[in-house]
Every structure is written in C-alpha cells, then in structure tokens.
Amino acid sequence: MNEQIIMYGTVIIGTVIVAMIALRGWQGWLALKEQELDRRSTPLHQMRQDYELEHGSPVGAARIEIADLKERIRKLEAIASGVDL
C-alpha cells in the first residue's frame, strides 16, 4: 500500500512538472510570435509611407490610369460613330 502511494505521488509530481514546463514553453512561444507580429507591422507601415512619399500613392495612380482609359474609350467611341474630334 505504501509503495503505491509513493508511486502515485511520483507520477502526479512528474505530471505537474511536465505540465509546468509545457506551459512555460507555450508562453514563450506566444511571446515570440507577438514580437514577430510587432516587428512586421511597424516596418511595413513605415515602408508604405516612405514609398508613397517618393513615388506617390498607388491609389491615386490607379485613378489617373482609369480616367485615362475612360478618355481613350470615349475617343474610340467617337471615332466609331464617325464624329470628328
């Protein structure tokens, strides 16, 4: 009977130790992933701002390109209908 109590106690203590080590590792892994996300979000935002300052906004460029395409379509439609521009 005494040997069983010692064995069960040892198993319980071992299980608790393994669970604590696993929990500590999990918390460390979560902290690492949080740091990676922080590092990724800040530089990308800064890089986007720097790019827009040097080259202009891609949204603005897309709007200009769409306006240019609309103008070309209008001219082609006028040519197709026989209107002289």
Side-chain angles (χ1 to χ4, degrees), residues 40-74:
R40 285 184 184 175
S41 64
T42 304
L44 286 179
H45 181 67
Q46 186 62 39
M47 286 178 11
R48 185 180 305 126
Q49 286 179 344
D50 293 343
Y51 179 82
E52 287 180 2
L53 286 175
E54 292 177 15
H55 303 289
S57 173
V59 174
R63 288 182 182 163
I64 292 171
E65 187 174 339
I66 289 173
D68 184 46
L69 291 173
K70 286 182 180 180
E71 180 66 22
R72 287 182 184 183
I73 290 172
R74 187 184 63 77

Side-chain angles (χ1 to χ4, degrees), residues 5-57:
I5 292 174
I6 292 173
M7 188 170 67
Y8 292 143
T10 304
V11 169
I12 290 173
I13 290 173
T15 304
V16 168
I17 289 172
V18 169
M20 289 175 62
I21 291 170
L23 179 62
R24 179 76 177 204
W26 175 252
Q27 289 173 340
W29 185 81
L30 287 176
L32 175 68
K33 291 299 174 183
E34 185 177 352
Q35 288 176 356
E36 286 178 1
L37 288 174
D38 288 343
R39 271 190 257 132
R40 285 184 184 175
S41 64
T42 304
L44 286 179
H45 181 67
Q46 186 62 39
M47 286 178 11
R48 185 180 305 126
Q49 286 179 344
D50 293 343
Y51 179 82
E52 287 180 2
L53 286 175
E54 292 177 15
H55 303 289
S57 173

